[in-house]
Amino acid sequence: LKEQVARQGVFKQFGAGGYGNSDNAFTDESEVKLHQRLEKLYLSTRAAKHFQRDVVRGVEGYIVTGSKQVEIGNKLSDDSQKYGIENTCTSGNTLSRAATYYGKARSLIEKERGNMLKAFGTQVAEPLRAMVMGAPLEDARHLAQRYDRIRQEADAQVVEVSRRQSRVRESAGNSDVISKLEAAEYKLEELKSNMVGLGKEAVSAMAAVEGQQQRLTLQRLIAMVEAERTYHQKVLEILDHLEEEMVSERQKIEAPPPPAAESFMSPPPPSYDEVNGMFASTSADQAVNSVDFFLGEV
């Protein structure tokens, strides 16, 4: 009987430790490594899932806030262009033209902002949300949870085998007690086999999900950076062109008037008597050659 119990090697295979809420666990090295690997994958995929959810929430909040900014910017654009069209100033239209330039540029800027927000939604939030709620992650987590339940059953069966071994030692060869021990040991081996097979399947599924999480999340973050970078580049081009137009309008009103216009004053024309006296003292040909203008009375 002692040899029969020793061949089972129950206590050489199982000992203390645990996964989940289990108090006992197997000390078989390959199974322990499998369990540790699955535990790390479970924690990793859960953390990645939470991060993806945080990114989705942040992007959605950014879209809501950005949409309000687009609305405000378009209103400012309409007001600026309206002032430019009405042109009520009596001393010039420089500000009106500048306001028109600004209104049109603001409209282009808000259009680019809208494109960026749309990219945030379609290229970042939607793919990440689909993965958070997707079947692969849930299926892998269910496999891990099934593995954990079987492992807990196997832990309980270890205790049962140990208890029946004690009874065998106390029963002095009772066949019924020995049969129950053998049945308990068989069930333990069956649980262990199922546990290992399910554990490998869960590890494979969780590893695939982890790799997909890492790749997809990184791709979506890069897409978000590229969309924002494109937005700022186009806005900078719009603002550079707008500044040139507005500075040009300002220079027109700040430039000093030409010096000739301020200093030149034409001499007054001679009187009627002076011209008539000139013609009286000279011949007609001389008068034509000596004066630049004539006066006539009607």
Side-chain angles (χ1 to χ4, degrees):
L1 181 60
K2 289 182 180 179
E3 291 175 357
Q4 182 182 359
V5 174
R7 280 197 300 269
Q8 300 300 327
V10 175
F11 289 103
K12 293 182 180 180
Q13 297 182 29
F14 309 108
Y19 172 78
N21 295 323
S22 176
D23 295 328
N24 297 308
F26 304 99
T27 57
D28 180 79
E29 184 177 358
S30 61
E31 198 283 327
V32 170
K33 290 183 178 179
L34 180 68
H35 167 69
Q36 292 175 345
R37 171 68 171 157
L38 185 57
E39 188 175 38
K40 291 179 180 178
L41 285 168
Y42 192 91
L43 295 174
S44 171
T45 53
R46 183 177 63 181
K49 177 181 178 179
H50 290 170
F51 176 62
Q52 289 175 331
R53 185 184 291 118
D54 291 341
V55 172
V56 171
R57 290 173 178 171
V59 169
E60 289 176 344
Y62 197 98
I63 291 173
V64 171
T65 303
S67 299
K68 185 63 176 179
Q69 290 178 316
V70 170
E71 180 182 346
I72 296 172
N74 285 332
K75 179 63 168 60
L76 178 58
S77 170
D78 294 341
D79 293 340
S80 299
Q81 294 188 69
K82 180 181 178 182
Y83 178 81
I85 294 173
E86 290 178 351
N87 190 20
T88 56
C89 181
T90 59
S91 61
N93 59 358
T94 300
L95 177 59
S96 299
R97 286 197 299 267
T100 302
Y101 297 150
Y102 178 80
K104 292 180 179 179
R106 173 55 59 185
S107 178
L108 293 175
I109 290 173
E110 300 309 329
K111 181 180 179 181
E112 294 299 332
R113 191 196 301 272
N115 292 338
M116 179 186 68
L117 297 176
K118 183 179 180 181
F120 280 4
T122 59
Q123 299 179 23
V124 182
E126 291 179 7
L128 290 180
R129 186 187 302 108
M131 191 167 187
V132 168
M133 307 299 295
L137 176 60
E138 291 304 313
D139 291 344
R141 290 167 68 91
H142 289 158
L143 286 174
Q145 291 166 358
R146 286 174 54 195
Y147 164 81
D148 186 41
R149 286 194 296 268
I150 292 180
R151 199 169 196 276
Q152 292 181 35
E153 292 179 14
D155 288 339
Q157 192 63 22
V158 168
V159 176
E160 177 67 15
V161 168
S162 176
R163 186 174 62 84
R164 293 197 175 276
Q165 286 175 336
S166 299
R167 289 187 179 182
V168 166
R169 287 193 294 269
E170 297 170 356
S171 65
N174 187 306
S175 60
D176 184 57
V177 175
I178 294 174
S179 297
K180 290 182 178 180
L181 172 61
E182 291 175 349
E185 291 173 342
Y186 177 80
K187 182 179 180 180
L188 177 61
E189 290 298 325
E190 187 178 35
L191 286 172
K192 179 183 177 182
S193 177
N194 293 338
M195 179 188 65
V196 171
L198 187 59
K200 291 180 179 179
E201 185 180 357
V203 165
S204 177
M206 295 289 281
V209 170
E210 182 188 52
Q212 186 183 23
Q213 283 179 330
Q214 298 295 309
R215 291 191 302 272
L216 178 63
T217 306
L218 178 59
Q219 290 172 359
R220 297 309 95 200
L221 289 177
I222 292 175
M224 184 164 60
V225 171
E226 290 176 346
E228 193 164 4
R229 179 173 176 268
T230 299
Y231 161 73
H232 287 295
Q233 285 181 331
K234 291 185 177 180
V235 168
L236 181 60
E237 293 174 1
I238 295 171
L239 291 176
D240 285 341
H241 182 66
L242 173 62
E243 184 183 27
E244 291 177 0
E245 291 179 324
M246 298 182 75
V247 169
S248 176
E249 291 297 328
R250 184 181 66 183
Q251 290 174 346
K252 291 178 181 179
I253 61 175
E254 292 181 352
E262 296 178 351
S263 59
F264 177 76
M265 294 181 63
S266 59
S271 64
Y272 179 78
D273 294 336
E274 291 174 344
V275 174
N276 287 338
M278 182 183 299
F279 282 116
S281 60
T282 59
S283 63
D285 293 337
Q286 290 174 337
V288 172
N289 293 331
S290 61
V291 297
D292 296 327
F293 53 85
F294 301 92
L295 294 180
E297 182 177 6
V298 178

